[in-house]
Amino acid sequence: MGTDSSTQRFGVFGDPIAHTKSPVMHNAAFQALGINGNYTAFHVKPADLKQAVQGIRDSGLRGVNVTIPHKLAVMEWLDVIDEGARIIGAVNTIVNDDGELKGYNTDGIGYVRSLKEECQIELTGKRIVIIGAGGAARGVAYALCRERPEHIWIANRTIERANELAQSLQPYGKLSGMGMDGLADIKNEADIVINTTSVGMHPHVADRPADPAQFNAGTIISDLIYNPLRTRWLQEAETRGCIAHGGLGMFVYQGAYAFEYWTGKPAPIDAMRTAVMDSLEL
Ligand code: NAP
């Protein structure tokens, strides 16, 4: 579909941005629903972020995704921040309503929707371990809290960050922080173990965040990484009888929520997933 003055425009801001799959995914969604929309990647350096946000208003972009390293910094330049994004402390989606810019965070809710739909699991009352305490962990932990699990343990290389994250989300659930050595103590407790670190991501595909042998067969072992689609950690977990859940669904659903905020229409999930799969160098 070509662009003209009636084309609704969208984009993603990041640095670096060359490898983003968001344009492929969203343009496929517009095409699938016959929407006259166009989604473009913008390379925005940190020093140019304020100007780029003003550019959303000036050039009438309807919606923008924000990725590394701008998810925190962008909040300063928006008019309204959704409550969830404020609690998480990061925005990945901006909606432009006639010049008023509102920020949302769809990473965590995207992850939870993917976990529930792909593993067919009810999260209420579950015991969940999150490995990592960075930006993605924050969004995932907050979204999981809303599902009322029994307990969330956060294990991180830097124990202070694990404790800090667990402490900051206390109003929303039962959480505790620990170092990576704490995994051995709770190995028989966990229903779901989620890797939110970058350990195992391309090109370091031989690395893994923990030894899956310590978790029981039947445990859901989940990884936010989707390049590769099946990390070494997931592959080993599967051979030990665990249920593997990869990160592609999170990427698709965070995009689907953004699409729904922008267009008010249910996102064409299958078309979006297929477009991303086709664009990955497998
Ligand atoms: P981040 O804020 O930089 O956090 C990185 C986390 O990984 C920290 O907890 C860090 O521990 C830990 N870590 C890094 N290297 C490590 C190592 N060698 N050993 C042990 N721990 C290590 O990054 P992020 O934004 O949260 O992203 C994390 C991952 O999630 C990335 O792989 C990213 O691609 C993925 N992600 C996927 C999606 C999706 O849609 N599927 C969306 C967002 C993010 P310390 O605190 O000790 O440094």
Side-chain angles (χ1 to χ4, degrees):
M1 198 178 289
T3 59
D4 55 45
S5 59
S6 65
T7 304
Q8 283 205 309
R9 293 169 57 230
F10 304 84
V12 54
F13 293 173
D15 176 30
I17 198 66
H19 298 292
T20 178
K21 303 296 179 198
S22 292
V24 158
M25 179 168 72
H26 284 286
N27 286 322
F30 296 137
Q31 199 171 10
L33 295 191
I35 293 173
N36 183 5
N38 184 265
Y39 187 111
T40 312
F42 296 96
H43 188 182
V44 175
K45 296 203 176 286
D48 301 327
L49 182 61
K50 180 182 177 186
Q51 206 184 343
V53 173
Q54 184 54 38
I56 300 173
R57 298 187 184 90
D58 295 344
S59 55
L61 286 170
R62 167 64 180 150
V64 165
N65 285 129
V66 182
T67 187
I68 289 172
H70 304 311
K71 291 185 185 184
L72 268 72
V74 78
M75 296 172 78
E76 186 180 349
W77 314 114
L78 303 180
D79 302 306
V80 186
I81 308 282
D82 170 68
E83 192 196 1
R86 186 178 49 73
I87 293 165
I88 292 164
V91 158
N92 78 328
T93 299
I94 300 171
V95 179
N96 177 5
D97 272 328
D98 296 325
E100 183 185 75
L101 302 186
K102 181 165 182 181
Y104 297 87
N105 189 310
T106 67
D107 283 332
I109 52 177
Y111 173 78
V112 166
R113 191 158 145 194
S114 145
L115 183 66
K116 287 168 79 171
E117 292 195 8
E118 291 163 21
C119 296
Q120 293 291 305
I121 186 175
E122 177 57 52
L123 298 172
T124 305
K126 291 292 186 293
R127 291 157 301 179
I128 303 175
V129 179
I130 294 177
I131 302 176
R138 274 197 83 77
V140 165
Y142 174 66
L144 286 169
C145 282
R146 297 182 63 93
E147 302 291 318
R148 293 180 287 112
E150 184 183 308
H151 199 94
I152 298 176
W153 290 271
I154 298 168
N156 195 44
R157 176 178 63 178
T158 311
I159 189 171
E160 292 78 14
R161 290 187 83 193
N163 288 334
E164 202 180 302
L165 176 53
Q167 183 64 34
S168 72
L169 295 179
Q170 286 299 334
Y172 313 103
K174 289 187 195 142
L175 305 97
S176 42
M178 60 191 189
M180 292 297 288
D181 52 356
L183 286 176
D185 300 332
I186 51 152
K187 61 183 181 190
N188 292 322
E189 307 260 342
D191 299 304
I192 305 165
V193 185
I194 306 160
N195 174 37
T196 72
T197 77
S198 47
V199 180
M201 191 164 75
H202 180 81
H204 305 290
V205 296
D207 297 344
R208 54 183 193 175
D211 181 358
Q214 53 191 329
F215 304 112
N216 295 331
T219 307
I220 293 178
I221 302 290
S222 173
D223 205 326
L224 266 52
I225 294 170
Y226 63 91
N227 186 11
L229 283 175
R230 280 272 184 276
T231 55
R232 176 184 171 196
W233 195 55
L234 289 189
Q235 289 175 28
E236 288 184 4
E238 233 168 5
T239 61
R240 293 177 184 283
C242 297
I243 300 159
H245 171 253
L248 181 67
M250 173 178 181
F251 180 69
V252 172
Y253 283 114
Q254 63 77 31
Y257 277 114
F259 183 93
E260 288 167 6
Y261 285 141
W262 295 329
T263 66
K265 295 185 195 312
I269 302 290
D270 290 343
M272 294 169 81
R273 190 188 297 269
T274 301
V276 179
M277 292 278 288
D278 288 349
S279 74
L280 287 171
E281 290 152 22
L282 300 173

